[in-house]
Amino acid sequence: MSDFVLDSDPLIPTGVPADPVQVGALILGDVLPADAITELVADQQPTPEDLGAACVASGLPTEDAVAKLTDAGLDVVLPEAPPVEAD
């Protein structure tokens, strides 16, 4: 089943494939189990950086989102914070 393509909204299909960050969000939202990642096409499988972006974008506190994914056995790399400009 390595040719499985996940819709961006699996509950109300849109015909638009989910990008890797959206896949991370679906895992965080308990819509997709973490072990299902390997069943997706390669273009949809999130990298640790994609999962980090999903953690930052989620409605959960970032630390809680990271903990949820790492508890599921996934590696997470948070994006670098932009540099703070001095006045």
Side-chain angles (χ1 to χ4, degrees):
M1 190 160 181
S2 63
D3 60 349
F4 179 68
V5 176
L6 180 68
D7 195 281
S8 60
D9 186 343
L11 303 178
I12 303 172
T14 62
V16 178
D19 66 35
V21 175
Q22 289 171 320
V23 169
L26 292 171
I27 295 167
L28 286 169
D30 296 323
V31 175
L32 180 71
D35 58 358
I37 288 175
T38 57
E39 297 176 19
L40 299 173
V41 294
D43 290 345
Q44 286 189 301
Q45 295 181 10
T47 64
E49 291 80 8
D50 294 328
L51 294 173
C55 288
V56 171
S58 78
L60 297 171
T62 302
E63 299 80 22
D64 293 348
V66 170
K68 184 172 186 171
L69 294 180
T70 56
D71 287 348
L74 300 172
D75 293 326
V76 178
V77 175
L78 292 174
E80 296 278 331
V84 176
E85 294 183 21
D87 289 333

